[in-house]
Each structure stands twice: as structure tokens, then as C-alpha cells.
Amino acid sequence: MQCFSFIKTIMIIFNMLIFLCGAALLAVGIWVSVDGSSFLKIFGPLSSSAMQFVNVGYFLIAAGAVLFALGFLGCYGAHTESKCALMLFFFILLLIFIAEVAAAVVALVYTTMAENFLTLLIVPTIKKDYGSQKDFTQVWNSTMDGLKCCGFNNYTDFEGSPYVTENAAFPPYCCFNRTVTVMESCTREKAEYMNVEGCFHQLLYEIRTNAVTVGGVAAGIGALELAAMIVSMYLYCNQK
């Protein structure tokens, strides 16, 4: 009985933390969506390069909403000893775990397929919004400056974009590498000559360079999810 009470308390505390983290992510996501420029000014240099490939605001809102709901279900289920809430918590966490494993397998085994999918998703957005949408342009400028890369694949991703149409030149990031910088207008000829690598390949290089850290974080998250599922099932099975 004492063991059950202890595990129940740990479950409540753990899910309260998840609930608060979800609320924080939700708030930040709304902030980024409403006023992304001020967020980038404050946190731009510290933000994850990987996060800059997607719409950060919507990503944080989605992640925050899931964590918010998950934390509430786990906390409510443990506190009220509701079998329904605990079972729902278990199944949501199981689905998230399976999705993470599937995403990891696809990323590791089907990198080319993932690249093609992301290319179809991201490149048309670059051609449509880079140079016209301020926040989107700032995010990509921050990414290219931080990773020393150009576009998603290369400079051709910007062809037909509002920036190129207005300036008759490519972004300056497409005309430098780690040793040489072209100060003049970044024309097609210069961009082609410099051949700066795309941000997707540069991001893969950074991830592979820090594979131990990335793997450790992923393993830690997976272990926490498994522990939470086991605890929720223990509480479910030992309800009166």
C-alpha cells in the first residue's frame, strides 16, 4: 500500500511537470506566432537549427498542446484513480513512442526519402515567401548564417522567390563558405561558383558530429516514456 501511494505521488509530480512544460511551450508558441520577430531577436542565436526548418510557432503550439493534455490526463488519473484517464494516458504515450521510433527509423534508414519529402514541402515555401514574409525570411537568414549554408538544397531553391525578383541577386549566404566571402552582389554565376552546401546536408553533418549527444537525449526521452507507461499500467492494475 505504501509502495502504491509513493508511485502515485511520483506520477502526480511527474505529470504536473509535464503539464507546466506543455503550458510554457503553448505560451511560447503563441508568442512566436503573434510576434515572431521579437522572439528571434531575444532567442535567435540560442535557438536550435533543426527547429528553424519548420514553422516554429505552430510546432511549439502543437507540442505544447499534446504535453498539456498528457500532463493533465496523467495527473488527473493518478489523483482521482480514474482507470479511464490512466488508460487514455497510456495509449496516447504509446502512440507518441511508436511515432518517435518510426520517425527515427525513417530518418536513419530512409534519409534520401525524407530529404525528397522535405524538399517537396519546404522548397516551394521558400520560393513563395522568402523576401516577402519578414519572420520567415529572418528564420532562414538565421539558419543560413548559423550553419553557413544556402537554402534547403542549394542556391537554386531561391529562384523565382520575391527576394531574387526584387534584388536580381541571391541571398549573400549563397556566396560564402567558411574561408571565402563574396562582398558584392550574389549573382547566379557567383552562387554557382561558390557552391555553398544546402542547410539540410549541413544539418545532417552537425547531427552526425554530435551523434552521441543526440542519441543520449533520444534514449533518455524514450526511457522516461517507457517508465511513465509502466507506472500508469501499475496504477491501473492496482486500482480498487
Side-chain angles (χ1 to χ4, degrees), residues 165-223:
T165 301
E166 181 180 344
N167 297 281
F170 291 87
Y173 309 100
C174 297
C175 285
F176 69 57
N177 57 33
R178 297 181 188 278
T179 57
V180 181
T181 302
V182 175
M183 301 303 295
E184 301 84 8
S185 178
C186 184
T187 62
R188 173 188 290 276
E189 291 74 19
K190 291 175 183 176
E192 186 175 358
Y193 173 75
M194 297 302 291
N195 194 29
V196 179
E197 193 170 38
C199 295
F200 179 77
H201 297 286
Q202 190 60 34
L203 179 61
L204 284 182
Y205 172 78
E206 296 289 342
I207 291 174
R208 286 164 182 162
T209 303
N210 300 280
V212 175
T213 303
V214 174
V217 171
I221 293 173

Side-chain angles (χ1 to χ4, degrees), residues 51-232:
M51 290 284 288
Q52 294 172 356
F53 283 106
V54 296
N55 190 310
V56 181
Y58 292 132
F59 178 86
L60 291 177
I61 289 173
V66 171
L67 289 177
F68 186 86
L70 200 61
F72 174 79
L73 278 174
C75 197
Y76 174 80
H79 180 69
T80 62
E81 300 184 1
S82 168
K83 284 193 171 186
C84 181
L86 287 172
M87 183 58 69
L88 191 56
F89 172 85
F90 174 84
F91 276 118
I92 292 176
L93 205 53
L94 180 62
L95 288 174
I96 293 173
F97 182 78
I98 292 172
E100 288 172 347
V101 172
V105 170
V106 169
L108 292 172
V109 180
Y110 301 104
T111 304
T112 303
M113 184 185 297
E115 180 181 1
N116 292 335
F117 173 76
L118 289 172
T119 298
L120 292 173
L121 184 69
I122 295 172
V123 173
T125 308
I126 294 176
K127 292 181 182 294
K128 175 177 176 287
D129 294 334
Y130 187 85
S132 62
Q133 297 293 330
K134 183 179 178 181
D135 292 343
F136 181 83
T137 303
Q138 285 181 331
V139 166
W140 268 100
N141 287 344
S142 176
T143 300
M144 293 188 288
D145 183 48
L147 291 177
K148 307 302 179 189
C149 57
C150 169
F152 185 77
N153 297 304
N154 52 40
Y155 73 95
T156 60
D157 294 341
F158 295 100
E159 290 179 338
S161 67
Y163 181 92
V164 172
T165 301
E166 181 180 344
N167 297 281
F170 291 87
Y173 309 100
C174 297
C175 285
F176 69 57
N177 57 33
R178 297 181 188 278
T179 57
V180 181
T181 302
V182 175
M183 301 303 295
E184 301 84 8
S185 178
C186 184
T187 62
R188 173 188 290 276
E189 291 74 19
K190 291 175 183 176
E192 186 175 358
Y193 173 75
M194 297 302 291
N195 194 29
V196 179
E197 193 170 38
C199 295
F200 179 77
H201 297 286
Q202 190 60 34
L203 179 61
L204 284 182
Y205 172 78
E206 296 289 342
I207 291 174
R208 286 164 182 162
T209 303
N210 300 280
V212 175
T213 303
V214 174
V217 171
I221 293 173
L224 282 175
E225 290 172 344
L226 282 173
M229 285 189 286
I230 291 170
V231 169
S232 66

